[in-house]
Amino acid sequence: RREGVGRGRAGDRKASVTAFVQGHVSAQGGQGDVRPSVQNNRRRMCDGVSTLVTQIGRPDRPFVALWDAFWDRPITRPYYVSIADVKPNTATTDLHQLVAARLLVAEGRTRGRLWRTGPELFPRLGQQFGLTREDSDRGSILALVAREVVAQARAVVRAEG
């Protein structure tokens, strides 16, 4: 006889795990309800970045560069060529367009050049989420999205409760 395995306290045959199982299953179901909310907010952020690309009159391919810049990841031309599946000259044109729109800035020279977040990326993206230009930075945009996710999760919990 193994004590305590599946029997609550040290072999107590009267102990029930029903409440635990019900709570666990309910929590798992709640997570399933919240995941679509998180995905919807991520999609909303993606739509915001995609709208910026459209506003400067470019096809969708620069989206990846702006998404990476939003997350403070530097972009190199070889990386952009591979991820956007374009020729080097097209990559250069796209990146220059993003610099001209002040969504990216170029740092360095020739082969060592990196493109990073430009002065207009956060203000223009933030405006799409209802933030003022002055209040738009990565943290404010992420906080807004996080508040929306939490509000949606609370609504789900209240509806189940």
Side-chain angles (χ1 to χ4, degrees):
R1 173 177 156 196
R2 296 183 314 180
E3 288 207 20
V5 178
R7 295 190 178 140
R9 280 186 252 142
D12 182 359
R13 290 180 185 266
K14 294 180 183 177
S16 173
V17 295
T18 303
F20 169 77
V21 171
Q22 287 174 335
H24 184 71
V25 169
S26 175
Q28 292 295 317
Q31 285 179 355
D33 292 338
V34 172
R35 282 189 189 120
S37 298
V38 172
Q39 291 169 348
N40 287 340
N41 282 295
R42 184 176 296 140
R43 188 174 305 116
R44 187 168 171 224
M45 287 183 63
C46 289
D47 289 344
V49 172
S50 187
T51 299
L52 290 180
V53 172
T54 302
Q55 288 173 349
I56 62 168
R58 301 302 300 164
D60 287 340
R61 62 182 177 258
F63 168 86
V64 175
L66 292 179
W67 186 256
D68 283 352
F70 177 85
W71 295 105
D72 202 27
R73 292 188 289 258
I75 298 107
T76 64
R77 190 174 80 146
Y79 168 74
Y80 184 75
V81 165
S82 68
I83 202 78
D85 194 26
V86 295
K87 295 185 186 319
N89 289 342
T90 303
T92 299
T93 301
D94 286 352
L95 293 167
H96 284 302
Q97 286 281 331
L98 295 173
V99 169
R102 299 178 46 140
L103 298 173
L104 295 181
V105 293
E107 296 177 357
R109 297 176 52 137
T110 61
R111 292 180 183 254
R113 182 166 287 170
L114 298 174
W115 285 265
R116 297 186 184 274
T117 305
E120 287 294 313
L121 179 60
F122 295 130
R124 287 177 66 179
L125 187 58
Q127 285 179 315
Q128 294 183 40
F129 293 104
L131 296 172
T132 64
R133 289 182 63 80
E134 297 78 28
D135 292 336
S136 295
D137 57 26
R138 180 182 306 108
S140 298
I141 294 168
L142 292 173
L144 175 70
V145 171
R147 281 193 302 272
E148 290 176 0
V149 169
V150 168
Q152 289 174 359
R154 286 182 178 155
V156 167
V157 169
R158 278 193 296 270
E160 289 180 352

